Amino acid sequence: MSADCIFCKIIKRELDADIVYEDEYAVAFKDINPAAPVHILIVPREHIPTIMDVEKSNEKLIGHLHLVANEVARAFKLGKKGYRLVINCGADAGQIVFHLHLHLLGGRPLLQTIAKGRGV
Ligand code: 5GP
Ligand code: ZN
């Protein structure tokens, strides 16, 4: 946990968020500024700043986050229509919250481009 991390605060229930899924290792909640009809952030409970900080010991956790994404996608009826998973890493990708997270975006056709949350 990191004391001044927004997502750690959401995980600890010190900050409000619309939590849609949680388990021992991960929490998923709605993005406060959605870029698509469905925009969910999937975060590990463990404070890992970026995907570059992931270590061998986190290998299972990274796989787990993807299974959580699939489960959330099914819950939001995106299983058939599809969705996009995005991980922004560092300044050039526009990462603004330095607690690893997957963006799950869907609910409308997304542009056929490699893009981050905004304008996809
Ligand atoms: P990044 O650019 O770091 O990949 O994306 C961070 C995301 O977190 C942004 O899409 C932003 O809207 C979202 N976000 C930032 N602060 C909060 C917050 O306090 N609550 C929620 N639910 N989402 C947040
Ligand atoms: Zn954190």
Side-chain angles (χ1 to χ4, degrees), residues 62-103:
I62 300 307
H64 181 70
L65 296 177
H66 288 75
L67 293 180
V68 170
N70 284 354
E71 190 160 331
V72 171
R74 262 183 234 112
F76 281 83
K77 314 272 184 241
L78 299 179
K80 286 211 174 83
K81 287 212 155 192
Y83 53 92
R84 179 173 292 160
L85 296 178
V86 175
I87 298 177
N88 295 316
C89 181
D92 273 5
Q95 185 177 3
I96 54 170
V97 179
F98 283 78
H99 180 129
L100 177 64
H101 51 281
L102 271 65
H103 293 257

Side-chain angles (χ1 to χ4, degrees), residues 11-67:
I11 292 163
K12 286 187 281 181
R13 301 291 210 280
E14 290 172 9
L15 249 183
D16 269 348
D18 195 343
I19 294 175
V20 298
Y21 174 94
E22 64 181 320
D23 64 26
E24 196 181 343
Y25 303 106
V27 178
F29 49 89
K30 292 186 180 174
D31 195 293
I32 203 167
N33 185 18
V38 179
H39 188 170
I40 309 288
L41 302 172
I42 295 133
V43 310
R45 286 190 187 274
E46 182 181 343
H47 180 84
I48 301 169
T50 81
I51 194 75
M52 275 296 285
D53 298 303
V54 162
E55 294 173 1
K56 187 76 181 160
S57 61
N58 303 125
E59 209 168 10
K60 265 184 137 173
L61 176 63
I62 300 307
H64 181 70
L65 296 177
H66 288 75
L67 293 180

